[in-house]
Amino acid sequence: MDMIRFANPPVHDGAEALRHEVRAFLAEQIKGRTPLDRSESWNGFDRDFSRAMGARGWLGMTWPKRYGGHERSAFERYVVVEETLAAGAPVFAHWIADRQSGPTLLKFGTEEQRETVLPGIAAGVTTFCIGMSEPDSGSDLAATRTRAIRTNEGWRITGTKIWTTYAHRSDYMILFCRSGDSSPADRQAGTSQFLIDMKATPGMTVRPIINLAGQHHFNEVHFEDALVPLGALIGTEGQGWAQVMGELAFERSGPERFLSSIQLIVELIRALEGSESDAARAAIGRLTAHLIVLRRLSRSVAAMLEAGENPSLHAAIVKDLGATFEQSVPEIARTLVDAEPDLASTSAFCAVLANIVLNAPSWSLRGGTREILRGIIARGLGLR
């Protein structure tokens, strides 16, 4: 069995200095958000907030200045992401674009794609969604059935994507689909990525999926012989699998993978204030220890990304451990506080608990299901 190592992340004084600046900005920008609002975490969609982030230079932080970026370090970006999520800021209008779509275009996109799209992301005005999961195959990307066929007019795309968060409010999608042949021995072959204009693609429709909480975040996106330009291809035709694995390393390793239930932990600690319960102290101690370990692993992956490595295996570990941790928090809270979850409650604890209970089941789906992640980890350990 091979060892998987998470190297110590380096100390970055500049990043820690930035932390105070970000906290002061957030204290003013989101002072009106209730605990329930803050528990929405990265599902909160607010274009004004994203534009304010862009104006501060906190989007596209690591990108070249010629594309609207700021040429800062991955650790400075990590601090901004960590603080905005811990505070419960509404990040989704810039979240996907800044985290993975922009970096993918920066690495594999054409010069025209970079010049057209990246400055808008860095300014906080251009939003992205992800076109990966499909009906019947979920996040098993090698089973993708959506197909793109090259014609003289452009690429003709047919198929369906599902669980596409905020597709109804996005400007672009990076679509992963099949563009060539594969075989049972090489299911990953013949795949490509495309830049889809969500506002001007004939033959594409977006339909809502309402979640357990009655909210509209998810969508189905249908392509029915949809036509996109030949220039919509990202990177090299047939190399979609290698490209998307690099993209998923950005998606699976950040602090969002263990901070989705942080507002419930905050309200739990407030609810337990003054308690002399040994069980409560032990539970809060364990939650804190788990958070510290997850943060350490996540920052190690940030160091690998900063070094230009592809830590897709390490990112899968962070994502799986993080989702398990996040989903455990509601049950721990319910065993320690005698109160019922209620979205309409005036008790911040009860309202936040209700929101987390309703949303937590999806956390082991987004970014790759638990089964897919553990398959990646097993291959990394040489077990399959």
Side-chain angles (χ1 to χ4, degrees):
M1 182 184 301
D2 297 329
M3 294 294 293
I4 301 173
R5 298 185 183 281
F6 285 80
N8 288 329
V11 176
H12 195 295
D13 294 335
E16 292 310 309
L18 176 61
R19 191 179 300 278
H20 300 287
E21 187 180 343
V22 178
R23 286 181 178 176
F25 166 82
L26 292 169
E28 178 61 27
Q29 282 286 325
I30 62 170
K31 60 185 177 186
R33 285 177 69 79
T34 67
L36 180 59
D37 293 335
R38 292 171 188 251
S39 71
E40 280 294 297
S41 185
W42 43 299
N43 275 331
F45 192 104
D46 184 334
R47 288 185 183 273
D48 290 338
F49 177 78
S50 293
R51 280 193 286 269
M53 289 283 290
R56 293 299 296 259
W58 292 340
L59 302 179
M61 288 181 71
T62 63
W63 305 350
K65 291 182 179 178
R66 66 181 183 278
Y67 301 125
H70 304 280
E71 300 182 0
R72 302 183 73 167
S73 73
F75 290 100
E76 289 172 298
R77 180 183 178 276
Y78 192 99
V79 164
V80 171
V81 172
E82 186 175 50
E83 290 298 327
T84 51
L85 294 177
V91 300
F92 201 94
H94 64 260
W95 182 246
I96 299 297
D98 179 63
R99 179 183 65 179
Q100 62 192 86
S101 308
T104 295
L105 292 175
L106 195 60
K107 187 170 184 178
F108 300 109
T110 65
E111 192 58 26
E112 181 180 356
Q113 290 169 344
R114 293 173 185 150
E115 291 179 350
T116 301
V117 176
L118 294 182
I121 296 176
V125 300
T126 300
T127 61
F128 265 75
C129 60
I130 302 168
M132 293 189 191
S133 297
E134 295 192 6
D136 302 322
S137 59
S139 51
D140 179 8
L141 296 181
T144 185
R145 292 182 297 185
T146 297
R147 179 171 288 276
I149 298 175
R150 183 193 289 269
T151 71
N152 291 333
E153 303 170 287
W155 293 89
R156 291 281 182 182
I157 300 172
T158 300
T160 299
K161 293 296 175 179
I162 198 168
W163 311 123
T164 313
T165 308
Y166 281 116
H168 58 303
R169 303 183 73 173
S170 294
D171 301 303
Y172 292 97
M173 166 195 284
I174 290 186
L175 172 73
F176 176 82
C177 68
R178 196 160 295 289
S179 60
D181 296 329
S182 64
S183 67
D186 188 4
R187 298 194 305 145
Q188 296 88 2
T191 56
S192 298
Q193 289 182 299
F194 295 88
L195 179 64
I196 305 297
D197 187 334
M198 298 296 290
K199 308 296 185 186
T201 297
M204 185 198 73
T205 55
V206 178
R207 298 173 188 168
I209 299 173
I210 306 302
N211 68 10
L212 286 173
Q215 300 162 330
H216 178 198
H217 301 151
F218 298 130
N219 299 274
E220 286 185 349
V221 182
H222 300 271
F223 297 89
E224 299 176 18
D225 201 29
L227 179 65
V228 303
L230 289 172
L233 178 69
I234 299 172
T236 303
E237 182 180 350
Q239 294 300 309
W241 184 262
Q243 293 175 195
V244 82
M245 288 299 105
E247 180 182 342
L248 286 172
F250 289 102
E251 182 181 352
R252 290 172 172 165
S253 61
E256 67 272 24
R257 295 309 176 190
F258 52 88
L259 290 177
S260 300
S261 52
I262 189 67
Q263 189 64 38
L264 180 55
I265 296 176
V266 170
E267 299 306 328
L268 174 62
I269 292 172
R270 286 174 177 158
L272 292 173
E273 191 171 352
S275 170
E276 297 295 327
S277 165
D278 288 340
R281 289 173 176 164
I284 297 300
R286 277 195 295 272
L287 289 172
T288 303
H290 287 165
L291 268 176
I292 291 171
V293 171
L294 286 164
R295 182 172 185 267
R296 160 71 175 74
L297 297 176
S298 174
R299 292 180 71 243
S300 179
V301 175
M304 296 179 214
L305 292 170
E306 174 88 340
E309 301 174 23
N310 180 5
S312 56
L313 170 59
H314 300 74
I317 294 172
V318 174
K319 202 275 181 182
D320 186 40
L321 292 175
T324 301
F325 167 76
E326 291 180 328
Q327 290 180 325
S328 73
V329 175
E331 190 57 31
I332 293 170
R334 296 185 74 172
T335 62
L336 295 175
V337 178
D338 185 16
E340 290 299 315
D342 181 359
L343 280 173
S345 175
T346 56
S347 158
F349 175 81
C350 293
V352 170
L353 176 61
N355 193 39
I356 299 297
V357 165
L358 290 169
N359 281 280
S362 69
W363 295 345
S364 54
L365 300 176
R366 62 191 186 189
T369 63
R370 184 161 288 139
E371 292 76 11
I372 292 295
L373 294 172
R374 292 183 179 179
I376 293 171
I377 296 166
R379 278 195 297 275
L381 291 170
L383 299 177
R384 58 180 295 202

